[in-house]
Amino acid sequence: MPIAKDVQLGRDVRIFHPDLVNLYGCLVGDDTRIGTFVEIQIGAKIGARCKISSHSFICEGVTIEDEVFIGHGVMFTNDKYPRAATADGKLQGPADWKVERTHVGRGASIGSNATILCGITIGAGAIVGAGSVVTRDVPPQAIVAGVPAQVREPRHVAMESADR
C-alpha cells in the first residue's frame, strides 16, 4: 500500500501518482505537492504549501516547515552511526539505534541531489545548492553549496545584487 492509512494528509494535498509513492505514519500539511517515487517515513512532518520533488527520501525524525522546496532526489539521513547488525551479528532493531532529528525552516529551498545529514537545522529561507552534502547547521537566509556544504553568502546580499 503506497499511502498507508495512518498518514495524515492536510487539505488539498496533491500526490501526482499515489501508486508510486511510499508514505506511512507521516503528517503532510495543506496544499503540499508530492512527486513520484517519494518516500516519507513514520514520524516525519511536512508543512503546508511545500513541494517535494520526485525521488526524494524524507526519513523518520525530519521536520519540514511551511513553504519549503525539496528538489529531485534529495536524501535525508537519521542515524549518525548506521549499522545493519549489532556487535553479536543480529539485525538491528529499534532499540539498537537513536533517531537524530533534522529541522528545515520555513521557506528554505534544497536543490536536487542534496544529501542532508542528521541532527542539523537548515534555517528559514536558506538555499542549499544542488548536489551539496550538508553536514552542519545552515544559518537562516544563507546560501550554501559544495561537499561539504559551506556558506557562500548571506541570501539577502545575493538578493540585493540581483536587484541592481
Side-chain angles (χ1 to χ4, degrees), residues 66-107:
D66 297 343
E67 300 163 4
V68 169
F69 173 82
I70 304 293
H72 300 278
V74 171
M75 297 291 143
F76 287 85
T77 68
N78 64 2
D79 187 351
K80 286 188 179 182
Y81 305 102
R83 297 281 186 256
T86 61
D88 60 357
K90 295 181 181 167
L91 283 177
Q92 278 194 350
D96 298 316
W97 66 288
K98 178 185 174 215
V99 172
E100 298 287 340
R101 307 254 170 231
T102 299
H103 187 94
V104 180
R106 182 183 185 131

Side-chain angles (χ1 to χ4, degrees), residues 124-154:
I127 296 175
V128 174
S132 296
V133 177
V134 181
T135 61
R136 58 186 165 205
D137 289 351
V138 175
Q141 304 299 322
I143 297 173
V144 299
V147 179
Q150 296 179 7
V151 174
R152 302 301 182 189
E153 59 185 297

